[in-house]
Amino acid sequence: QYSFQLGYSNNGGLSYTYETFTDTINPSDTAVYTFSSTADLSLSGTYNFIALTKLIGDLNTINDSVFKPVVSYPTISVYPYTDDFDSGNLYWIDGGTSSSWVLGTPAKSIINSASTSPNSWVTNLTGNHNASENSWVESPCMDMSSLVNPYIEFSLWYETSVIGSVQLQASTDNGGTLITIGANGDPYNWYNGIITQGWTGSSSGWLTVQHRLDNLAVEANVKLRVLFNANLIFTSEGLAFDDIH
């Protein structure tokens, strides 16, 4: 086939942008097409994209389109920045392997409250984290180029094994390279690990933790990540964090 229309919509099909595919594509082959007319995603929010083909004489159009929601995230550039997560999820996302992260009110046997009610991020609201979990919650993009001595403070409650660990990481290339913030024994309730680097064991309640972010002071594209690396065999209640500053 050759010389047929391709289209996309970023508003769920209310309107489309069409362009013509002028190359030839053979049966069972694939091709990559880049639209010259691009979509404006400058406003933060979710865009409901539909991509489709339009071929004259096609009697089966049910397989001619694909739907994909695309989220445009804001860049944080006004400081101080705070989030207590009580207004819902303002562009923090979870991911990783076997993630049990949920934004809500913790109701476990031990971790049974948010630092400021009602919400915090927590590994499973009512029980233990998943087995073999290696998961994270990541911040929106932060432009720290205007900051001279940046630091982070947040509330943390952890109930992990001595082998499992919790760390704060940072990336300046959208997750391609991650650096661990701080080391075991740093002040202000920072990492207490003996076997691994990070927070391990039990915090016995909510802790306020702080650390300097000096190496991020000139960076315009920072993402922060709370990483949970669980024990491969045993599960525990895991952790919760809240009140980011």
Side-chain angles (χ1 to χ4, degrees), residues 21-202:
F21 183 83
T22 57
D23 293 332
T24 299
I25 184 168
N26 295 315
S28 300
D29 202 358
T30 61
V32 176
Y33 181 82
T34 301
F35 283 87
S36 58
S37 298
T38 56
D40 182 1
L41 308 184
S42 59
L43 294 178
S44 302
T46 300
Y47 294 83
N48 294 312
F49 271 87
I50 300 173
L52 55 78
T53 61
K54 290 184 71 175
L55 181 65
I56 296 175
D58 185 2
L59 300 179
N60 178 19
T61 60
I62 195 171
N63 60 356
D64 293 349
S65 63
V66 63
F67 170 77
K68 179 73 174 180
V70 175
V71 180
S72 176
Y73 292 91
T75 296
I76 307 301
S77 58
V78 177
Y79 296 94
Y81 165 79
T82 65
D83 194 346
D84 62 8
F85 307 115
D86 294 332
S87 298
N89 183 8
L90 299 178
Y91 301 102
W92 289 69
I93 60 172
D94 70 294
T97 303
S98 300
S99 174
S100 63
W101 286 103
V102 184
L103 178 61
T105 304
K108 303 169 182 276
S109 297
I110 302 174
I111 304 176
N112 55 14
S113 68
S115 177
T116 56
S117 185
N119 292 336
S120 71
W121 278 99
V122 59
T123 51
N124 192 343
L125 290 176
T126 58
N128 288 354
H129 64 75
N130 294 327
S132 302
E133 182 167 348
N134 190 338
S135 63
W136 42 262
V137 177
E138 190 175 77
S139 74
C141 184
M142 298 183 175
D143 181 356
M144 296 189 179
S145 59
S146 65
L147 300 182
V148 178
N149 295 306
Y151 78 96
I152 186 170
E153 175 185 290
F154 60 97
S155 298
L156 180 67
W157 189 341
Y158 54 90
E159 299 289 338
T160 75
S161 70
V162 294
I163 299 177
S165 66
V166 182
Q167 294 179 346
L168 180 70
Q169 297 181 321
S171 171
T172 59
D173 58 2
N174 202 31
T177 304
L178 292 163
I179 60 172
T180 299
I181 303 297
N184 289 338
D186 283 355
Y188 303 111
N189 293 322
W190 210 248
Y191 304 151
N192 66 336
I194 299 175
I195 299 175
T196 58
Q197 182 167 271
W199 289 285
T200 64
S202 173

Side-chain angles (χ1 to χ4, degrees), residues 211-243:
H211 207 280
R212 295 170 62 128
L213 302 174
D214 291 346
N215 56 335
L216 302 176
V218 298
E219 300 293 343
N221 185 24
V222 176
K223 286 193 173 183
L224 299 174
R225 179 179 287 189
V226 177
L227 174 70
F228 176 49
N229 189 7
N231 188 291
L232 295 178
I233 301 174
F234 302 106
T235 62
S236 59
E237 290 198 0
L239 71 146
F241 73 92
D242 201 352
D243 296 334

